[in-house]
Amino acid sequence: MQARLQSRQNADITTAIQRLYKAIHSAGTDPLLLDLIHLRVSQVNSCSPCVYAAVASAKRRGENDERLHSVAAWRETPFFTDAERAALALAEAATRIQDGAPGVTDEIWDAAAAHFSEDQLSSILTEVALTNFFNRINRAIGEQAGKTW
């Protein structure tokens, strides 16, 4: 599959994305957790370049293969903490909002709020939103895994 657009970067968009990343990472949320969230949201959306990038980033931060291979089935594995499970549930619920899906229920929100501060919750939700943004762009233009941006 050939990419549908050349990778021309708009400086204003690049600056805005860099500012979002700075805000996301300034809230004290574990960067490795943010990688796991990026991975899970990208799996849900079948975005191969973002799955690839999330795995590479998590590995650079020291994540092991056992956990990375289990993110897609995080509910059925013993490899994640309660806080990670709450964040992954929030990420999935905020991503799966199509066709009448319930989205983020009070139960999901309360579970996440029990583990994270308001700033961290904001960070997690912004990571989810930004990942969905990239997933949709990559799917629209046919971007392939393994390329660098």
Side-chain angles (χ1 to χ4, degrees):
M1 174 188 293
Q2 182 178 16
R4 295 180 180 127
L5 291 176
Q6 299 297 319
S7 62
R8 293 175 32 167
Q9 294 186 2
N10 176 310
D12 291 336
I13 293 172
T14 301
T15 299
I17 290 168
Q18 288 171 342
R19 287 183 178 161
L20 281 171
Y21 274 123
K22 184 177 179 181
I24 289 167
H25 288 274
S26 70
T29 308
D30 182 356
L32 183 53
L33 177 60
L34 295 171
D35 287 339
L36 295 177
I37 290 166
H38 187 81
L39 175 57
R40 185 62 194 129
V41 169
S42 298
Q43 289 171 334
V44 168
N45 290 326
S46 299
C47 181
S48 66
C50 286
V51 167
Y52 181 91
V55 168
S57 180
K59 287 188 123 198
R60 281 192 303 274
R61 293 186 204 283
E63 187 56 87
N64 66 55
D65 287 338
E66 185 174 57
R67 282 172 37 101
L68 287 172
H69 291 300
S70 299
V71 169
W74 62 268
R75 286 178 180 86
E76 290 81 29
T77 68
F79 307 129
F80 301 97
T81 67
D82 288 343
E84 289 168 333
R85 289 174 186 284
L88 290 168
L90 179 61
E92 282 186 10
T95 297
R96 291 186 165 141
I97 57 173
Q98 77 291 345
D99 302 324
V104 178
T105 64
D106 288 343
E107 179 183 5
I108 290 169
W109 183 263
D110 291 345
H115 294 282
F116 301 101
S117 70
E118 286 187 20
D119 286 347
Q120 289 171 319
L121 288 168
S122 176
S123 167
I124 289 167
L125 288 176
T126 305
E127 177 66 30
V128 170
L130 191 56
T131 300
N132 275 286
F133 170 81
F134 283 125
N135 292 169
R136 279 148 180 77
I137 289 173
N138 286 330
R139 294 291 307 271
I141 66 172
E143 189 66 38
Q144 295 293 297
K147 294 189 175 187
T148 57
W149 298 282

